[in-house]
């Protein structure tokens, strides 16, 4: 049987990652990222489309900047679901007010095979916002959090939080599961990347935890597909992410 809303485990993992008191002093998180894996190539982009970028995410709102993107001298901006690309002088060269809806319906058919720079920016931006704000965002208004059954993750016995995301938050899917080890560290996050497709059931593994200015972040991530029943398939890695030079502002 699942626990009540706001289970003690949520408080435990937030404290293990640095605590809400420290997090509330943070306005933004910036990190150098190197992204690999099969997804970008499958969508017609370079496999290293996000191979050498600095991503800055806000903590109080869904705002993300990625630079350089998609070329040296230009910047990608995500702002509450809208996406735009700015040139070196700050002029808008491409934009979309609703970044998500084109992935669905008739317009989504072409995106099964090919993504534009705005498509890739939308996906990467909301994903990195979620990753860098976990687990602290789960204490926010509108998140439904219950404790689920324990499971083994890469040889570790982990406790699980099942989360329903509030509708305004851009995320892979409304329902996700997060697995934490005995030290309260995030080890796995299960979701369906709906903008990729209903088949894109991800098992997202987190490792290389390090402390930056009082907050703990995983510095290595890899996403595998989940087979029916939840078992992760061994290959290929859909997405890999390496982070360094994390700074809090």
């Amino acid at each position: 049987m699942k626990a009540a809303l706001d289970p003690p485990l949520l408080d435990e993992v937030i404290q293990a990652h640095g605590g809400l008191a420290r997090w509330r002093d943070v306005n933004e998180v910036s990190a150098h990222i190197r992204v690999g894996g099969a997804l970008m190539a499958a969508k017609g982009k370079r496999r290293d489309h996000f191979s050498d970028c600095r991503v800055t995410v806000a903590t109080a709102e869904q705002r993300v900047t990625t630079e350089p993107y998609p070329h040296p001298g230009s910047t990608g901006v995500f702002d509450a679901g809208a996406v735009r690309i700015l040139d070196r002088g700050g002029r808008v060269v491409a934009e979309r007010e609703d970044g998500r809806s084109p992935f669905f319906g008739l317009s989504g058919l072409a995106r099964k095979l090919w993504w534009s720079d705005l498509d890739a920016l939308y996906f990467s931006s909301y994903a990195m916002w979620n990753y860098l704000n976990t687990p602290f965002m789960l204490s926010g208004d509108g998140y439904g959090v219950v404790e689920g059954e324990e499971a083994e993750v890469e040889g570790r016995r982990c406790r699980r939080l099942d989360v329903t995301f509030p509708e305004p938050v851009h995320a892979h899917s409304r329902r996700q599961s997060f697995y934490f080890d005995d030290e309260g560290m995030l080890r796995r996050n299960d979701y369906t990347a709906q903008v990729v497709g209903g088949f894109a059931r991800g098992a997202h593994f987190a490792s290389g935890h390090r402390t930056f200015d009082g907050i703990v972040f995983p510095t290595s991530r890899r996403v595998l597909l989940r087979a029916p029943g939840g078992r992760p398939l061994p290959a290929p890695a859909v997405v890999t992410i390496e982070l360094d030079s994390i700074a809090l502002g």
Side-chain angles (χ1 to χ4, degrees), residues 5-210:
L5 291 174
D6 299 324
L9 177 57
L10 178 57
D11 293 334
E12 292 174 23
V13 301
I14 285 176
Q15 190 61 36
H17 283 77
L20 272 181
R22 174 67 187 100
W23 184 251
R24 286 171 178 154
D25 289 334
V26 178
N27 295 312
E28 63 181 28
V29 179
S30 177
H32 177 258
I33 65 171
R34 298 183 301 280
V35 179
L39 179 61
M40 285 297 126
K43 297 302 182 181
K45 314 305 291 181
R46 302 186 319 273
R47 191 180 182 91
D48 61 348
H49 193 62
F50 292 95
S51 66
D52 188 14
C53 301
R54 177 156 288 275
V55 171
T56 302
V57 308
T59 58
E61 58 188 356
Q62 278 200 293
R63 181 174 175 82
V64 182
T65 59
T66 304
E67 53 187 344
Y69 183 84
H71 309 293
S74 59
T75 301
V77 177
F78 169 96
D79 190 357
V83 284
R84 58 186 62 94
I85 296 172
L86 312 179
D87 66 13
R88 193 182 301 273
R91 293 178 292 270
V92 176
V93 296
E95 64 181 331
R96 182 184 299 150
E97 286 303 311
D98 180 356
R100 193 175 189 90
S101 64
F103 289 92
F104 304 96
L106 290 178
S107 63
L109 295 178
R111 288 172 172 83
K112 301 299 182 187
L113 300 175
W114 182 84
W115 281 359
S116 69
D117 288 338
L118 288 175
D119 294 331
L121 178 65
Y122 174 80
F123 174 84
S124 172
S125 296
Y126 83 71
M128 291 305 303
W129 186 89
N130 280 263
Y131 303 159
L132 290 174
N133 276 280
T134 298
F136 304 99
M137 67 181 181
L138 304 182
S139 66
D141 293 340
Y143 288 86
V145 185
V146 296
E147 187 167 351
E149 296 180 0
E150 294 183 355
E152 186 174 292
V153 177
E154 298 187 309
R156 297 180 177 90
R157 197 66 183 169
C158 290
R159 296 167 71 186
R160 187 179 95 212
L161 290 177
D162 293 329
V163 178
T164 301
F165 282 61
E167 191 64 36
V169 174
H170 293 260
H172 288 307
S173 54
R174 293 287 152 229
R175 294 185 179 182
Q176 302 187 27
S177 293
F178 297 80
Y179 299 83
F180 300 90
D181 65 19
D182 289 342
E183 296 180 349
M185 295 293 101
L186 176 68
R187 291 296 173 181
R188 176 171 164 174
N189 175 201
D190 286 358
Y191 48 73
T192 299
Q194 293 173 333
V195 300
V196 179
F199 67 91
R201 298 183 297 272
H204 181 135
F205 294 90
S207 60
H209 296 77
R210 293 175 55 194

